[in-house]
Structure formats: C-alpha cells, structure tokens
Amino acid sequence: MADRVALVPALSARRVRIPTTSFPVEQFTLANGLRVVLAPDRSAPVVAVAVIYDVGIRSEPAGRTGFAHLFEHLMFQGSENLEKLAHFRYVQGSGGTFNGSTHLDYTDYYQFLPSNALERALFLEADRMRRPKITEENLRNQIDVVSEEIRVNVLNRPYGGFPWLRLPPVMFDTFPNAHDGYGSFVDLNAATVADAEDFFTTYYAASNATLALAGDFTVEQATELVRRHFADVPARPRPVRPSFAEPDLAAERRDSYVDERAPLPAFASAWRVPDPITDFDAYLPYVVLAEVLTDGDSSRLVERLVLKDRAVTGIGGYLGFMGEPFEVRDPTALVLSAHLPPGGAVDDVLRTVDEELDRLAGDGLAPGELDRTKARIATQLLRDLDPVLGRALRMGTIAQQRGDAALTNELPRLLGEVTEESIVSAAAALRPARRATVEVVPGGAK
C-alpha cells in the first residue's frame, strides 16, 4: 500500500497526522444510465466486480416485508441466457467467490476473481441485469430459503434480530423506516411472480445501478469490456426515490420484549443524527463520538461500564442500524448496544451513559484522546479499502449515494478535520428526551 497512501496533516487543533488514500478512480455513465466506477490496481492478479442497486429494505411496499432480501436471492436463480446455478458454477470454476447482501438503502452483488476472469464476471452481471429467471418454481423455492433463514437467524437464535430489527420500530413511525426488513411469513408467502416482475422492472434498471470494478486491469481494457457487455442493456427510467424523512423524537421512547433463548439481559439505545448525505460535516462528529465512547479499553463507556463498574459485559457504539456509517441515508442514528450480567439493571446503565455524555459535553476530551480515536478510525478505513473487493463495494456505494466515488479517498482527511468542539456538541445533543431504547428480557434459557 506504500505507493497509494500518503501521510497528510489533519486540520485539527492538535495537528494529528493520519494516513489518507489516493486510489486512482475513473468514472463514466453509459447511455442507458448505468454508472461505472473503475479503480485499477496492478499489484496483484485479482479483480473485484460489484453491482450496487439503489433499492433496499426501505423501498419495500407495505404488505411485502422482506421483499428486497427475497429478490436478492432470486437474482442468483438463473438469468436470460443461463440456467439455475450457472452463476455459482462459472464464478467458482474460475477460482472466484461471490455473494450479495441487502441493506436499508441498497442491495449489492459482488465477485472476487482472478483477473483473467474479469470478462466472465461482467457477462454474468450484465445477463441478470437484463432479466433474471423469475418463475413460480424459483420464487417458491427462494421463499422457503428465506423463511428458513429467518428461523435460523432470528427466531431460533439468542438475541436474533437484535438490535437492527428490534430498535427501528421503537424509534420510527413510518412503514419504510420501522418495518421488519427480514419479512413476515405471511407477506413472503403472499408474494407472486407478478410482484417480482414489477419489483425488477421498477428497481433493477441500469439507470438505478452502479457498476464498480477494482483490481488488475487497465482503464482502457475495462472500459471496452464494460461497454461490450452493458451498453445494450435496455434503458428504463430510474425510479423516483421518495423521502423517508421523519421528525426527531420529542420524548424518550422505551420498549422491551422477552427472548426465550437469551441467557442475559441486553439493551440498545439510539439517537437521531444529522443527514449523512446532505449534512455530512455535521454528521462526521457523531462517527468519531461513537468511537470515543466505545472503541477499545480506554474508551469512555468501556472503561466505566465494563472495566470499572462491571455493569455490562460488553458495549458497542456505531452509526447506522447495520453499522454502515458511510453507506446509509437519512434518517439514521447513533446506536449503543450492551449485554448485562445476570440481574443487571438497564436503567442504572442508562443513567451512567447519561453521566458520561454530560461529562464529555462539560469537560471535553482528555489530552491525546482525540488523536488516538482518529488513528483507530483511519486504521479501520485503510483496512477496509486495502482489499480490492472492499474498495469496489465502498466506491460503488458512495458513487451510488453521493455521485462521486472519488470521495472515498477524502474520508480519512474529512474525519481528521473533525474538531473537539464538534464532538462535544454532538455529545451534548444525545439527551434522554431524544433517545429510543429497546430492552431484551432473558427468558431463562440455560
């Protein structure tokens, strides 16, 4: 990485020096509306191909909970020119790996392969972008698969769906923000082929997608291959993305539920934060604040609640209900989640959290605390971007949501410019009256 990382001073009062990146990025848009991001890196003979569609859990219509995730599964069931399982066979036969994932605001599909298989990966993605094989058999089969996934990951697992499924309905009131993104069995079983066809036609247009390539290729080679395989994908209008905005909380909200399989109590709390797209400068201090509070043994809440008071067995803090601070739209939140020892009292822990936030808001940061936190954040950013697959996914999503993949290189610098004053102000804004909390009551499982 030495040739792609430079040390630059962050513009903060302490002049902390943090690493930043200078990965090359080329971007263009095809006539059918497909955004293309190219990030060449000739250091190893591997390539990553990612397609990010601007459709996620929040896009699901009422009565179709879990549909975005179900459709992700359908995209692997064959396509216009390929039979079922062909995608799996061709990628793995090339020595590659693949997957897809559904998020609140987008769905991604990706391959990591030897660079001599680049054209094969592009053909596979273009073919299912034209038309996946949506049949009654495939739909019923994947409804069964998703239903079993819900049983395994949510219903029959301790703390299943905690907190990402359990906390939003406490904080939010509208269907897009509050509903169960995994889906109900009733809604999943009611899905029809016509529903799936409509979902594809609406959201899986080339104009609603970003193709990101990173790895061992030249810009000229990749551009020619992308045009060869994607230029004739039929153009369809990009869907209008509705506003999912909701007013901030005017009073604290609390809820609890019994988890029969949970051996210990737990809770998660969330506070709304500024819009991560349109108010990024105001949003970034909350990203740093979450690390100040919970990252490492020297962080505020770990030191107080875990090491000193022994009031929790562990605590974490992050931005976004899925922990994706740079791949999420508004409304989102700063989330704290913790597990407590037997007999632990959530109210006592919340009072301590409020005390520590008040102390931070009143006394500021300790000497060296901001420097250490920024260094840890920069390290994690570099770790995420060093593999070409991580680079393709991050750049593709940022291009999809922010219009410019090159902003990926700016993240370390922007975080380095976050001031102590802005972090103190962010801590002062985390008031109990703006907090939503969900509590897990253990059901006595041994």
Side-chain angles (χ1 to χ4, degrees):
M1 267 175 52
D3 60 331
R4 289 173 275 118
V5 177
L7 292 177
V8 297
L11 304 179
S12 68
R14 296 188 177 93
R15 304 294 294 176
V16 59
R17 294 173 65 85
I18 64 171
T20 190
T21 59
S22 56
F23 295 113
V25 184
E26 296 287 337
Q27 303 175 81
F28 59 92
T29 302
L30 298 181
N32 57 17
L34 178 68
R35 300 179 184 85
V36 181
V37 176
L38 305 178
D41 180 351
R42 310 307 300 275
S43 62
V46 293
V47 65
V49 175
V51 181
I52 294 89
Y53 291 92
D54 198 352
V55 55
I57 290 169
R58 284 200 258 226
S59 303
E60 295 170 346
R64 290 293 176 265
T65 59
F67 209 89
H69 179 223
L70 172 62
F71 202 87
E72 175 215 317
H73 281 251
L74 285 173
M75 287 287 281
F76 287 97
Q77 301 308 301
S79 54
E80 187 173 58
N81 294 299
L82 296 174
E83 72 279 11
K84 189 172 184 176
L85 301 182
H87 196 117
F88 298 47
R89 187 169 65 253
Y90 284 125
V91 174
Q92 292 173 335
S94 301
T97 60
F98 64 92
N99 213 331
S101 56
T102 309
H103 306 252
L104 289 177
D105 294 301
Y106 65 98
T107 305
D108 57 29
Y109 303 86
Y110 50 90
Q111 286 84 208
F112 176 64
L113 315 97
S115 54
N116 62 6
L118 172 59
E119 184 168 13
R120 176 172 289 190
L122 293 175
F123 165 78
L124 292 171
E125 288 295 354
D127 199 52
R128 63 179 172 183
M129 183 181 286
R130 289 187 186 90
R131 178 159 294 278
K133 193 164 289 183
I134 302 173
T135 66
E136 183 69 24
E137 178 186 359
N138 285 343
L139 178 62
R140 291 301 136 198
N141 175 268
Q142 292 311 300
I143 287 173
D144 290 343
V145 171
V146 170
S147 297
E148 185 61 22
E149 191 175 324
I150 295 171
R151 293 185 186 98
V152 170
N153 291 338
V154 180
L155 300 180
N156 295 317
R157 173 179 292 183
Y159 311 104
F162 172 80
W164 77 277
L165 290 178
R166 295 288 190 166
L167 189 52
V170 182
M171 170 164 272
F172 298 119
D173 297 317
T174 65
F175 176 82
N177 297 318
H179 76 274
D180 183 343
Y182 242 136
S184 75
F185 294 144
V186 172
D187 285 355
L188 289 170
N189 287 323
T192 67
V193 169
D195 294 330
E197 292 277 9
D198 183 64
F199 197 81
F200 171 77
T201 301
T202 301
Y203 293 110
Y204 276 71
S207 58
N208 205 41
T210 297
L211 169 67
L213 279 59
D216 182 25
F217 54 78
T218 66
V219 170
E220 294 75 18
Q221 170 202 13
T223 300
E224 193 277 326
L225 290 175
V226 167
R227 293 188 183 281
R228 181 188 303 173
H229 290 283
F230 286 89
D232 64 348
V233 173
R236 296 197 303 276
R238 185 179 186 181
V240 176
R241 195 179 70 86
S243 170
F244 299 131
E246 288 195 35
D248 197 358
L249 298 185
E252 183 177 15
R253 294 185 180 183
R254 296 280 294 268
D255 196 9
S256 64
Y257 67 98
V258 175
D259 185 338
E260 295 294 344
R261 291 169 176 76
L264 297 171
F267 80 93
S269 292
W271 297 259
R272 289 280 299 276
V273 295
D275 190 318
I277 304 297
T278 64
D279 201 6
F280 199 43
D281 288 343
Y283 174 81
L284 286 175
Y286 290 88
V287 177
V288 180
L289 174 60
E291 302 294 312
V292 168
L293 293 174
T294 65
D295 186 30
D297 289 349
S298 63
S299 62
R300 297 290 181 111
L301 296 181
V302 172
E303 185 177 48
R304 172 75 184 275
L305 289 168
V306 179
L307 302 178
K308 181 182 177 183
D309 296 351
R310 310 281 182 176
V312 302
T313 59
I315 188 167
Y318 45 91
L319 271 292
F321 294 97
M322 292 184 169
E324 300 171 327
F326 307 117
E327 293 95 3
V328 68
R329 291 185 172 115
D330 186 69
T332 190
L334 185 151
V335 179
L336 295 178
S337 65
H339 290 74
L340 282 64
V346 171
D347 285 344
D348 292 344
V349 176
L350 287 175
R351 276 193 292 271
T352 302
V353 169
D354 292 337
E355 289 174 8
E356 289 300 313
L357 289 170
D358 288 341
R359 186 164 69 90
L360 179 55
D363 301 338
L365 295 161
E369 188 175 11
L370 182 57
D371 289 1
R372 291 194 304 270
T373 302
K374 288 181 177 179
R376 288 197 299 267
I377 294 174
T379 299
Q380 185 59 54
L381 283 171
L382 293 173
R383 186 179 295 122
D384 291 345
L385 291 173
D386 189 48
V388 293
L389 179 56
R391 211 175 305 158
L393 287 167
R394 173 64 55 79
M395 288 185 171
T397 308
I398 285 182
Q400 182 73 65
Q401 295 184 347
R402 300 174 179 274
D404 185 5
L407 291 174
T408 306
N409 285 321
E410 298 296 310
L411 290 178
R413 177 185 63 80
L414 293 170
L415 285 161
E417 293 175 355
V418 171
T419 65
E420 177 175 346
E421 292 74 19
S422 65
I423 296 170
V424 168
S425 295
L430 303 189
R431 299 291 84 206
R434 300 182 59 243
R435 181 171 63 206
T437 298
V438 63
E439 180 179 350
V440 180
V441 179
K446 304 296 182 185

